[in-house]
Amino acid sequence: MEVGFAPPVSGSWATPASMIHVARRAEQLGYHSLWTFQRLLVPADLGWSETYHSVQDPLTTLAFLAAHTTRVRLGVAVLNMPFISPVLLAKQTATLDILAGGRLDVGLGLGWADEEYQATGVSKHRRGRRAEEFLAVLRALWQSDVAEHRGEFYQVPPTRLEPKPVQRPHPPILLGGQAPAALRRAGRLAGGWVSGSQADLTGIGEAVATVKAAAVEAGRDPRSLRFVCRGAVRVRPMGPPGREPLTGTLGQIRSDLGRLAEAGITEVFVDLNFDPEIGSPRADAQASLRRADEVLDALAPTR
């Protein structure tokens, strides 16, 4: 199982200097990848988790980090397809893949926030079908000399997208989501699945099995798929036997990573942005960075 890390993107520690520090340190320690996430807005009453109160743009952050790293892969988990045009995303990601030297992984999802749906002018109606069309347009623009699409949601006249991404036929696409339909869609149409921050890690093997079964039904080889887990790590004092996975001592968390591999996860990335003591606008930014350094060292793949 590969191990990645999430740079600072949420809260007070999400500064350019801290992003560079964590990204370079992760690369030096042998981490496989760096992952960001998307949050467009937060309700005015700030009723959501503090992780979502102040979040940097995920693609802009990856482009910035591409200039400060040379080896690690750069992933977003996830961009919400209903909120953006597939044509715009095709251009942005092709450019980012070029700037990163072919290191980009594209995670896509459907989003869950009613406020973001309303603000972007999109309906939740038939969003699964919209996602499938989105993927068709994205791939056509990345792969085809001349792309054309006439669908229910998107209309693309015969046009060219240049330059193309470095990775051929295109950057890997992973789909998020926890609902059975979303898991089956990942198995049918994507290069793999990426779990969300609220996923039940005690039963993640069941989600992996659902994705694999859908791949087999679609005539695909499930062994070719990637299964990426967002590891929302919270370092705390020794937890009880029934504690939540990835919450506890660093030793307990290392053991949890091993169990994720046994459940079929092929890559996990350690994400401290979802720790309320770190990914909050009210957290001490320097203390958060010191804690990140401890976790980077303790969970490094080279240890």
Side-chain angles (χ1 to χ4, degrees):
M1 184 179 69
E2 303 284 3
V3 180
F5 208 88
V9 293
S10 174
S12 59
W13 77 316
T15 65
S18 292
M19 290 176 184
I20 294 170
H21 174 87
V22 169
R24 287 179 170 169
R25 186 72 180 135
E27 188 165 68
Q28 292 166 357
L29 289 170
Y31 283 88
H32 177 69
S33 52
L34 298 168
W35 293 83
T36 58
F37 72 93
Q38 182 184 57
R39 185 88 282 132
L40 295 179
L41 303 169
V42 63
D45 63 6
L46 300 179
W48 292 353
S49 163
E50 289 193 17
T51 294
Y52 298 137
H53 288 189
S54 177
V55 182
Q56 304 284 10
D57 177 76
L59 290 185
T60 306
T61 299
L62 292 180
F64 177 66
L65 295 179
H68 295 281
T69 56
T70 60
R71 179 193 56 79
V72 290
R73 293 198 64 79
L74 304 169
V76 53
V78 294
L79 290 169
N80 294 311
M81 292 179 278
F83 306 154
I84 190 170
S85 158
V87 177
L88 176 59
L89 185 63
K91 172 61 75 172
Q92 290 176 319
T93 49
T95 300
L96 179 49
D97 197 49
I98 292 168
L99 296 176
R103 292 185 283 144
L104 180 64
D105 288 322
V106 181
L108 300 172
L110 293 180
W112 51 265
D114 291 338
E115 293 85 350
E116 290 181 338
Y117 267 90
Q118 182 177 352
T120 53
V122 183
S123 169
K124 284 187 174 180
H125 181 62
R126 289 176 59 78
R127 58 182 180 169
R129 175 58 190 150
R130 176 189 288 271
E132 295 191 15
E133 259 196 56
F134 188 106
L135 294 174
V137 173
L138 192 63
R139 287 191 170 108
L141 290 165
W142 276 340
Q143 295 177 229
S144 303
D145 182 33
V146 176
E148 182 178 9
H149 181 87
R150 306 288 180 182
E152 177 182 355
F153 299 97
Y154 303 106
Q155 302 288 322
V156 181
T159 45
R160 300 174 185 269
L161 177 78
E162 296 293 346
K164 302 293 189 198
V166 170
Q167 298 178 91
R168 306 304 295 155
H170 55 72
I173 296 173
L174 305 170
L175 292 183
Q178 196 66 35
L183 297 172
R184 291 192 295 269
R185 188 179 301 114
R188 288 188 294 110
L189 299 176
W193 174 68
V194 56
S195 71
S197 61
Q198 300 300 314
D200 178 8
L201 300 187
T202 62
I204 200 166
E206 298 173 12
V208 170
T210 299
V211 175
K212 288 183 174 180
V216 171
E217 291 174 7
R220 307 179 70 205
D221 183 357
R223 294 172 298 181
S224 68
L225 301 182
R226 295 167 57 190
F227 294 90
V228 180
C229 173
R230 163 170 273 114
V233 164
R234 297 174 176 87
V235 180
R236 299 290 189 272
M238 178 73 71
R243 66 187 170 81
E244 183 179 354
L246 301 183
T247 296
T249 66
L250 287 166
Q252 289 179 312
I253 291 167
R254 275 194 296 270
S255 297
D256 293 338
L257 296 181
R259 282 187 281 274
L260 289 174
E262 294 169 359
I265 294 299
T266 61
E267 180 177 347
V268 61
F269 63 95
V270 176
D271 195 341
L272 300 179
N273 292 288
F274 287 83
D275 183 339
E277 296 180 1
I278 294 177
S280 163
R282 299 185 297 112
D284 183 316
Q286 291 305 309
S288 296
L289 192 58
R290 288 193 296 271
R291 293 178 67 178
D293 278 333
E294 293 174 0
V295 176
L296 277 162
D297 288 336
L299 302 182
T302 52
R303 285 182 60 88

